Amino acid sequence: MAAKAEDASTAAAVGKAVMVVGIDDSEHSFYALQWTLLHFFSPAVRPSESYKLVIVTAKPTPTSVISVASPGAADVLPFVESDLRKISSQVIEKAKDICAAHSVLDVEYEVVEGDARNVLCEAVDKHHAEMLVVGSHGYGAIKRAVLGSVSDYCAHHAHCTVMIVKKPKPKH
Amino acid sequence: MEETKEPVATEGREKMTVLVAVDESEGSLYALSWALDNLFVAAVGGAPNKPQPLGRLVLVHAQQPLQQFIMHPIGPAVYATSSVIDSVKKAQEQNSRDVIERAKGICRRRLVEAEAVVVAGDPKETICQAAEQMQTDLLVVGSRGLSKIRRAILGSVSDYCAHHANCPVLIVKPPKTSH
């Protein structure tokens, strides 16, 4: 596989717009990925591969997950780190499977360490993306205020069009 | 995590219903152009004569309720005569028609058929309701790029839609002026 830098420049030369899809290990983001593939990349509609897909998952730093001040934190850190790494690679594997199932082959996968909000916005800048796609946990207003919403942050701070894909609420 | 079999399956993209919210602002018309260029126009360098429609485009324009123009909290209470109400209503309708015409013109230039719907009421809620009633697959809104505080005070339609719409929401930002 050619180097990433080459890929980016050839993509730009060909004039393909870049679409960044942010995923984590939740059902919502895989739903968002599937929805996007179905509606933007399906063979019935793929007009000469209009988008180049970049799938980004943010790996939280171990220090952000556990409070460093707690006793024995230093001992736990390496386990947390390897656990986080395992989760991220599982996420990427699942994403690869989904893309293969929809026969989308021109995909770049990235695992970036850091807070999801910043990681996604930086990925948009780095790839000069035309569009950013994120899932949404569908939190209510209070949960959103407390837990923070990545989709909210990205919708306001990303430098490109943002698409928020939600899992339809089961109304039956 | 169990695999939930989505009923959508692999039917390929069927006719996608896309709802685009338009108003007088440049941001929403830019959003419409962006949506047309990226969602409805066939291959950039491929066969230009692709007769199959890629989806159903619906333009929705929300008309503000009339009271806002009549109720003035400052100054003397103005009794709105029926002629005033009528002329304001007419002006509003003309305004809506202009917006829809402009939006339709943009669609026509790209050879895309569009339906238009005018809804009355608070834009936030009515747009989300319209999206639900028409079973849209994607709701497209522009964004004014307001800062956090302004957004809290003025209210943001794109924000509200992003949180309350039942379908995926696409927020188109105005193009960066610095190049």
Side-chain angles (χ1 to χ4, degrees), chain A residues 17 25-27 30-31 34-35 38-40 42-48 51 94 101-102 125 130-132 136 139 144 149 151-152 154-169 171, chain B residues 1-4 6 8-14 16 34 38-39 41-46 50 52 54 132 137-138 143 146 148 151 156 158-159 161-173 176:
Chain A
D25 59 346
S26 70
E27 272 299 319
F30 288 118
Y31 176 82
Q34 278 171 336
W35 193 96
L38 199 63
H39 287 88
F40 285 84
S42 72
V45 134
R46 226 180 345 185
S48 68
Y51 279 108
K94 194 163 172 193
H102 286 261
D125 289 333
E130 182 85 21
M131 190 151 111
L132 169 67
S136 163
Y139 290 149
R144 215 183 300 128
S149 168
S151 58
D152 233 7
C154 291
H156 297 136
H157 292 92
H159 294 143
C160 67
T161 305
V162 178
M163 181 156 79
I164 302 176
V165 181
K166 295 191 233 188
K167 221 171 170 182
K169 291 187 209 148
K171 275 191 171 165
Chain B
M1 267 187 297
E2 68 256 339
E3 298 283 350
T4 43
E6 296 295 337
V8 186
T10 46
E11 295 161 332
R13 207 226 285 202
E14 308 207 321
M16 191 162 83
W34 193 98
N38 291 281
L39 302 172
V41 179
V44 174
K50 243 198 178 161
Q52 41 154 294
L54 296 174
E132 199 171 330
D137 293 304
L138 185 63
S143 163
L146 297 175
K148 239 195 194 151
R151 216 181 298 127
S156 167
S158 58
D159 235 9
C161 291
H163 295 142
H164 290 91
N166 286 339
C167 61
V169 178
L170 189 83
I171 302 174
V172 183
K173 307 279 183 73
K176 293 225 300 242

Side-chain angles (χ1 to χ4, degrees), chain B residues 20-38 40-41 57 59 97-116 140:
Chain B
V20 181
V22 290
D23 65 4
E24 307 88 359
S25 70
E26 286 298 323
S28 67
L29 293 170
Y30 176 75
L32 175 62
S33 315
W34 193 98
L36 287 168
D37 287 334
N38 291 281
F40 286 90
V41 179
L57 176 65
L59 306 166
R97 256 184 304 223
D98 288 340
V99 169
I100 298 275
E101 273 314 307
R102 217 164 136 197
K104 274 194 169 165
I106 296 178
C107 299
R108 236 174 282 137
R109 236 171 286 146
R110 285 173 179 71
L111 307 173
V112 178
E113 286 283 322
E115 304 165 28
V140 180

